[in-house]
Amino acid sequence: MRTEYQTQRLSHRFFVLMLVLFAVQVVFGLIVGAQRVEPALLSGALNFNVARSEHTNLGILWILSGFIGTILYVGPLLSKRELAAPWLVKLLFYALIVVVAWNVFTLTLAQRGIAGWWAGQPWLQEGLEYIDAGRGADVVILIGFAILATIVLRTFPAMKQWNEIHRGLAIGVSALTVVWVFGMFFVERLDGQEYFRWFVVHYWVEGVWEVIHISLVGFLIVLMFGANVRTVGYAVFWGVTLVWLSGLLGNAHHYFWIGTPEFWQFWGSLFSALEPLPLVFCFWHIYLDAHHDRHPLANAPAFYFILGSVVLEQVGAGILGFSMTFALTNAWSHGTWVTPSHAHLALFGTFGMLGLAAAYFAIPAVHGIGKFDQRLGKLGFWLLFLGMLGMSLAFALGGTVQVYEMRILGLDWFGTDLRRAMLPYQILVPVFGFVFAIGAIVVVYDLLTLGARATRPAGHGAAASAGALAGAASARPATGWGRTLGGFEAGTWLLAMWIFGAIITLGLLSFNLPTVRAGESWLPHILAGIGYPGLLAVTLLFVWRFLASLEARTAAGNTEPAAAAAIAAAHPGGQPQAAAV
């Protein structure tokens, strides 16, 4: 495994920054979780609102760093030439460090009410969730996005040679720059400010980031399994189209309760309901690409995180997003713990796991590593996956209690009765957060020390490639949990997820019933107690089943480092050439 182009090595620094920021973000997450149990913890030194903002903003920054690293790594492979303007890549890296340092420092000023007002604009920090950066950082961010778009578009060949993956990434990096402009001015009216804030947050996550995510996942599958780039491009095209058709007006579900006109409730509910469609499409195509040609799984950690990304996108962004974005359900979920259940699975699951997947694919290649111990990567994945599912479950069940106690009974958040009811779930969040943190330590350590611990590549000859393929062809079929995962079974797993999602949706809708609003809480609690554990259990079992079938296939094929060469032998012309078709 090696890099095809020298400038691909420039991606390495972004992956290292991603891992460092990921580790720091997890530390802030543990602090926030502990403060939920004991609100007085670090009071006056690091208040909850500041720690939470640091946790949220670092999450966005490390995900962006991973996106940039992945784009810079695959760009030369897509274009069959070196990255344009390597000096701009280096400038972009330093600009990203400046933005990170700025955000971490200036958010601490919020605790003292310092925003750096000048000429009617907050230049240090602005206190808007997800886009807290002040105007000074806003300018640097805009320049950084413009640099990224310039590098990508100059690296790509002439437009007549583009395939759908080129187009998806070109749209993504261009829109990343344009959309940010809506967050670069301050509006005194809260409803107006929120209107434009969600232009940035929603169109980034459910528009721009989704487009980049679909494009990068498609190309990584081409590289990992030798999938046909035209078929993957077809999936990317429809995924991007559906994202933009549903996501643009789907933004309206953020406008329900901020003083905007009532017509948003209808349009927001309608188009938000359509937003899971591209996620189902992406989910299904990952199944087809991974199983179509039955190639062995050469880089298990990379695919583990790709699968985790697509499945948690389906569950967190798709199913849980669907359940809480109707006006009739959002009236209860909005501003409660039900929302972070969706947000954690959607943000880390969809975008964070993609960055970690790309790191496991790119870092060995940058170091010229032909074989590395994949056990730590697999262990880290499962710890992160289990920890995130557990935190989501605690948020969701605690949020159901919170909705009833606060919205129905009208109890105060800091009141004794509500605190007693919420305390078990407040404790569960840092418990599962600790599991997640152990997984983060394992993954960060594994990736940062991979170059020092791994075996350098031996020669991969045609005989080794033929042997690997022949072994796969002659092996006995796996049985039991590791048997081949068929399309009908995969569809059944997906259907089960949506059935439990429907139960969750009915549970939120039941808060509108007169009997529940009169004080009878058994129905929403029962539906939540069935829906959330059922959905997350099916998610866990499906991922286990999917990966078990691939691992059994790999073991049957007696996969060695020659697996990558085996894929290349099965697809004459190699990976970069296939990607340029």
Side-chain angles (χ1 to χ4, degrees):
M1 203 176 201
R2 60 184 178 83
T3 54
E4 297 290 332
Y5 302 92
Q6 286 301 311
T7 49
Q8 286 180 276
R9 299 180 182 277
L10 293 171
S11 66
H12 184 260
R13 61 189 67 193
F14 289 93
F15 287 124
V16 172
L17 179 61
M18 175 193 76
L19 294 171
V20 172
L21 297 181
F22 176 42
V24 177
Q25 190 226 4
V26 170
V27 172
F28 275 107
L30 290 175
I31 293 172
V32 171
Q35 287 176 326
R36 291 188 185 278
V37 179
E38 177 46 67
L41 179 68
L42 298 178
S43 178
L46 182 64
N47 290 349
F48 174 83
N49 63 319
V50 176
R52 182 183 178 276
S53 294
E54 297 279 17
H55 176 67
T56 303
N57 278 269
L58 285 169
I60 294 171
L61 289 167
W62 79 257
I63 286 171
L64 275 174
S65 186
F67 268 4
I68 294 170
T70 309
I71 291 169
L72 295 177
Y73 181 81
V74 304
L77 296 179
L78 266 170
S79 307
K80 295 181 63 180
R81 62 183 179 186
E82 300 284 357
L83 286 172
W87 68 274
L88 277 178
V89 177
K90 297 174 184 178
L91 179 61
L92 177 60
F93 177 72
Y94 295 124
L96 185 56
I97 290 179
V98 168
V99 169
V100 170
W102 181 292
N103 264 356
V104 171
F105 171 72
T106 58
L107 281 177
T108 62
L109 300 177
Q111 198 161 299
R112 289 178 280 172
I114 299 173
W117 287 96
W118 181 69
Q121 298 295 312
W123 288 88
L124 295 178
Q125 57 84 23
E126 57 186 302
L128 295 175
E129 189 176 29
Y130 300 114
I131 51 173
D132 290 282
R135 292 297 162 263
D138 283 349
V139 174
V140 177
I141 292 170
L142 183 65
I143 294 171
F145 289 155
I147 289 173
L148 177 63
T150 300
I151 293 168
V152 171
L153 296 177
R154 286 183 58 189
T155 299
F156 282 178
M159 289 185 65
K160 62 182 179 181
Q161 300 177 40
W162 285 10
N163 57 34
E164 287 78 8
I165 300 174
H166 287 104
R167 294 187 182 93
L169 287 178
I171 290 172
V173 296
S174 301
L176 193 66
T177 308
V178 173
V179 168
W180 180 249
V181 174
F182 291 101
M184 291 190 64
F185 48 87
F186 181 78
V187 180
E188 289 189 5
R189 284 184 48 148
L190 182 60
D191 57 347
Q193 184 64 73
E194 285 292 285
Y195 190 89
F196 288 110
R197 181 175 78 89
W198 284 112
F199 261 56
V200 179
V201 177
H202 179 95
Y203 290 151
W204 257 18
V205 174
E206 288 153 269
V208 177
W209 284 19
E210 285 285 359
V211 168
I212 295 174
H213 175 265
I214 291 170
S215 303
L216 291 178
V217 166
F219 193 65
L220 288 174
I221 291 297
V222 170
L223 296 177
M224 292 186 68
F225 291 104
N228 184 282
V229 74
R230 294 188 184 277
T231 304
V232 172
Y234 175 83
V236 169
F237 170 80
W238 282 109
V240 169
T241 301
L242 291 172
V243 161
W244 280 59
L245 286 176
S246 62
L248 292 182
L249 284 176
N251 188 20
H253 71 251
H254 297 292
Y255 299 154
F256 291 165
W257 322 119
I258 62 171
T260 48
E262 289 185 4
F263 65 77
W264 284 122
Q265 294 190 17
F266 171 77
W267 292 108
S269 296
L270 175 63
F271 282 91
S272 292
L274 300 177
E275 287 184 32
L277 289 179
L279 311 185
V280 173
F281 195 81
C282 185
F283 173 97
W284 193 251
H285 212 276
I286 283 294
Y287 162 75
L288 294 177
D289 290 332
H291 285 80
H292 183 267
D293 292 324
R294 298 191 51 78
H295 287 306
L297 186 61
N299 189 330
F303 184 75
Y304 275 38
F305 281 104
I306 287 178
L307 180 65
S309 171
V310 173
V311 172
L312 291 187
E313 175 188 48
Q314 177 66 211
V315 174
I319 295 174
L320 294 183
F322 174 88
S323 70
M324 66 182 63
T325 52
F326 300 108
L328 290 174
T329 57
N330 194 255
W332 306 104
S333 65
H334 189 85
T336 69
W337 270 31
V338 175
T339 302
S341 172
H342 146 74
H344 278 71
L345 286 176
L347 191 63
F348 170 76
T350 305
F351 306 115
M353 281 199 166
L354 175 62
L356 296 175
Y360 267 108
F361 190 88
I363 288 178
V366 168
H367 286 293
I369 295 168
K371 181 179 182 181
F372 66 97
D373 189 345
Q374 300 184 4
R375 289 175 296 179
L376 278 179
K378 295 177 183 180
L379 174 63
F381 166 81
W382 282 115
L383 289 171
L384 290 172
F385 194 69
L386 289 169
M388 184 53 66
L389 290 178
M391 282 190 288
S392 178
L393 179 63
F395 278 126
L397 295 180
T400 304
V401 172
Q402 181 188 10
V403 169
Y404 178 73
E405 301 277 343
M406 288 185 67
R407 302 281 170 85
I408 301 295
L409 300 183
L411 298 181
D412 183 75
W413 173 252
F414 292 104
T416 304
D417 292 334
L418 179 58
R419 177 167 172 77
R420 186 183 301 115
M422 292 286 292
L423 190 59
Y425 307 103
Q426 291 174 325
I427 292 173
L428 280 176
V429 169
V431 167
F432 283 110
F434 182 75
V435 175
F436 185 90
I438 297 300
I441 292 171
V442 170
V443 168
V444 171
Y445 167 79
D446 189 33
L447 285 168
L448 290 181
T449 63
L450 205 57
R453 295 182 292 108
T455 304
R456 299 295 164 182
H460 299 328
S465 304
L469 290 173
S474 62
R476 290 185 301 172
T479 57
W481 202 245
R483 71 190 183 279
T484 300
L485 179 65
F488 178 79
E489 184 187 351
T492 303
W493 285 106
L494 178 61
L495 178 61
M497 292 179 193
W498 276 98
I499 289 173
F500 283 111
I503 294 172
I504 292 168
T505 306
L506 291 174
L508 287 171
L509 286 170
S510 69
F511 282 109
N512 294 290
L513 296 174
T515 54
V516 176
R517 300 182 72 171
E520 294 183 11
S521 63
W522 61 269
L523 181 58
H525 286 161
I526 287 177
L527 292 174
I530 295 172
Y532 289 112
L535 172 63
L536 299 178
V538 168
T539 301
L540 174 64
L541 291 173
F542 171 72
V543 171
W544 186 6
R545 171 74 178 93
F546 196 117
L547 294 175
S549 70
L550 291 188
E551 292 284 4
R553 186 170 82 196
T554 301
N558 191 28
T559 303
E560 297 176 353
I567 295 175
H571 293 264
Q575 296 167 348
Q577 287 80 359
V581 171

